[in-house]
Amino acid sequence: MALGKIKADTLEHSTAGSLDTQYVVNGSAKAWCFFDGTAGTISFSDSFNGSSLSDVATGQYDMNFSSSMSNNTYPASFSGADRNDNKATSPQSSSSCRMLNRMGIDGQTASDNDDSKCQFNLHGDLA
């Protein structure tokens, strides 16, 4: 059985027009995950390009990627279910990212907080 390749520079729709395939490649998430950060042992509920997930400390999680990014300046975002959250991400390297979950209620100083519905995604260039 012979294997073949499909090569395309553009995608064309009969009524919506055409789109350069580079736009699709560059605009797609390169990694994402969903997990319960309150579980005793955390693990991916679902993920893409995630090789492992670590519970670093209260409200702090590290995700290692199956395929590395080309550098450590990729944009990433993190969110959870708790209200009044202040979420942040911190690229650690081209192969991992730290997720931080801080929560401050009614003007109180934000403190690290575990969250039950953690969601993370990143965009950028794969190595």
Side-chain angles (χ1 to χ4, degrees):
M1 179 174 153
L3 300 176
K5 292 182 182 180
I6 296 175
K7 294 183 179 183
D9 293 328
T10 59
L11 301 173
E12 186 173 321
H13 187 273
S14 60
T15 59
S18 62
L19 178 66
D20 188 308
T21 54
Q22 265 314 100
Y23 183 81
V24 176
V25 170
N26 290 332
S28 301
K30 302 308 185 289
W32 56 262
C33 70
F34 183 85
F35 63 94
D36 180 350
T38 63
T41 302
I42 64 168
S43 61
F44 297 120
S45 297
D46 201 357
S47 70
F48 173 73
N49 193 20
S51 64
S52 64
L53 187 61
S54 302
D55 188 351
V56 178
T58 300
Q60 298 182 28
Y61 317 99
D62 282 349
M63 178 179 176
N64 293 308
F65 311 132
S66 301
S67 297
S68 294
M69 304 301 290
S70 62
N71 56 50
N72 68 344
T73 58
Y74 48 83
S77 61
F78 175 64
S79 65
D82 291 335
R83 66 180 185 87
N84 297 325
D85 288 343
N86 177 10
K87 312 287 189 200
T89 56
S90 177
Q92 301 293 301
S93 69
S94 60
S95 61
S96 69
C97 187
R98 175 150 303 163
M99 296 164 264
L100 306 172
N101 183 42
R102 297 216 164 111
M103 185 167 119
I105 299 174
D106 299 328
Q108 296 175 5
T109 302
S111 60
D112 292 348
N113 182 58
D114 286 338
D115 200 305
S116 62
K117 295 180 181 175
C118 298
Q119 303 170 49
F120 166 80
N121 72 75
L122 74 85
H123 290 77
D125 297 322
L126 292 173

